[in-house]
Amino acid sequence: MIALLILLGIAILTYGFALARATIAARAAPKLEALLLGMVVNFLDTFGIGSFAQTTAWMKFRKMVPDRLIPPTMIAGLTPPAMVESIIFLILLGVRVDPVLLFGGAMATFAGGIVGAPLVVRARAWIVQMTVAIGLTIAGIVFILSILGKLPPGGTASGLPIGLTVIAIAASFIFGLLANFGVGNYAPTLAMLSLMGMDPHYCFPIMASGASLMGAGSSIRFIRVPEIDLRIVIGLTLGGIPAVLVAALIVKKMDVDMLRYVITLVVFYTAVVMARAALKGYREERGERAAALVGAS
């Protein structure tokens, strides 16, 4: 845990300095709409619901930035609250988590994000998204069966046997890789570790730390892009940090059974979001193929 706190501290200082310098140089003041958006999506993010899908949908609906700038703007603005979130969960809950699983899972997510970045341009994102949607749907069904007493509920452990630990770390690498395709690592990590028998509370330090480290390096590059609207970036950041502080305390005190219900809703919600994104990607790809055939004829 100490090693992760040191790494996160370095990442926070590095990115915080870079963001502050860029904001001052541009004389950018936070936009009110971005502040409010940051509050809402980061509050939900702290419960494991994720923030990318909601932020993307709102930015597209309001046309806050051009479509091609949504991912870099979103990641640059939402990374600082995620960093604060990870620090809070590490301090409140990380000391109770198996250190091998905690450090291994977080670093595997980070490594997967680095490896997956160049794959985005070659892979068909909609296939990845649909695969994740199907997997999460199955996990959600298992959760419901557990709640109804048809399967053992589990969810009391702070660590896993060595075999499951290795599987969890390997899966975290895959979740980090998938994050490059717009698939957040929160819902898959929550589902996997909870079904393996962990207390849902102890999943949060693992997934938040990995997501924070993964976003730090990318964000430093993104804020240097001339077209990025730093007013939106700083708005998402300043709105999100206090929301994370409030929500993290609620998660810590939440009853385990209630948290399982929340996780089940999160899993199904994410599955629906991924399925819709996959279907949209498939239709767009089919339309591009049809246009290419017409052009060739």
Side-chain angles (χ1 to χ4, degrees):
M1 188 183 79
I2 294 176
L4 275 179
L5 284 172
I6 292 173
L7 288 173
L8 284 168
I10 294 172
I12 289 172
L13 290 174
T14 303
Y15 180 52
F17 176 76
L19 179 58
R21 185 173 61 179
T23 302
I24 293 172
R27 297 182 179 179
K31 294 187 70 171
L32 177 59
E33 183 177 2
L35 274 168
L36 297 175
L37 179 61
M39 288 182 185
V40 174
V41 299
N42 282 285
F43 184 87
L44 296 175
D45 186 68
T46 312
F47 287 88
I49 293 174
S51 55
F52 279 20
Q54 301 95 317
T55 305
T56 299
W58 186 259
M59 284 186 170
K60 286 178 70 69
F61 172 70
R62 293 283 298 155
K63 298 181 180 179
M64 293 177 69
V65 298
D67 284 358
R68 66 183 181 85
L69 294 179
I70 288 178
T73 304
M74 178 174 60
I75 293 173
L78 297 179
T79 290
M83 289 175 168
V84 174
E85 185 181 324
S86 63
I87 292 290
I88 294 172
F89 282 133
L90 280 172
I91 293 174
L92 294 179
L93 301 168
V95 69
R96 305 177 189 176
V97 183
D98 172 44
V100 175
L101 178 60
L102 176 61
F103 187 80
M107 295 308 296
T109 304
F110 172 54
I114 294 175
V115 172
L119 300 179
V120 175
V121 296
R122 297 195 296 268
R124 300 162 89 181
W126 70 267
I127 295 178
V128 177
Q129 291 165 337
M130 184 57 74
T131 301
V132 173
I134 293 171
L136 288 176
T137 300
I138 294 173
I141 293 171
V142 173
F143 271 121
I144 291 177
L145 292 175
S146 298
I147 291 172
L148 295 176
K150 303 299 182 181
L151 292 174
T156 59
S158 59
L160 298 172
I162 184 63
L164 290 180
T165 297
V166 172
I167 293 173
I169 292 175
S172 295
F173 175 84
I174 296 174
F175 298 156
L177 189 151
L178 294 177
N180 293 279
F181 298 90
V183 180
N185 70 308
Y186 275 29
T189 303
L190 276 170
M192 175 188 68
L193 295 179
S194 297
L195 292 174
M196 284 180 172
M198 283 193 66
D199 184 320
H201 292 94
Y202 300 145
C203 303
F204 284 84
I206 299 171
M207 63 192 189
S209 300
S212 299
L213 292 172
M214 185 174 57
S218 299
S219 297
I220 291 176
R221 294 194 301 270
F222 289 151
I223 60 173
R224 295 172 181 168
V225 176
E227 297 90 348
I228 290 292
D229 190 341
L230 289 175
R231 297 174 302 166
I232 295 177
V233 172
I234 198 68
L236 291 173
T237 293
L238 296 180
I241 290 175
V244 163
L245 294 171
V246 173
L249 295 176
I250 297 175
V251 170
K252 180 180 182 293
K253 297 178 180 179
M254 189 178 292
D255 178 74
V256 173
D257 290 333
M258 179 59 69
L259 190 53
R260 289 197 186 104
Y261 295 139
V262 173
I263 291 173
T264 302
L265 292 175
V266 167
V267 167
F268 277 116
Y269 168 80
T270 308
V272 171
V273 171
M274 287 295 105
R276 290 183 61 186
L279 290 173
K280 181 181 178 181
Y282 170 72
R283 294 191 188 103
E284 290 177 352
E285 181 179 298
R286 188 174 61 178
E288 290 173 358
R289 287 181 178 177
L293 289 175
V294 171
S297 61

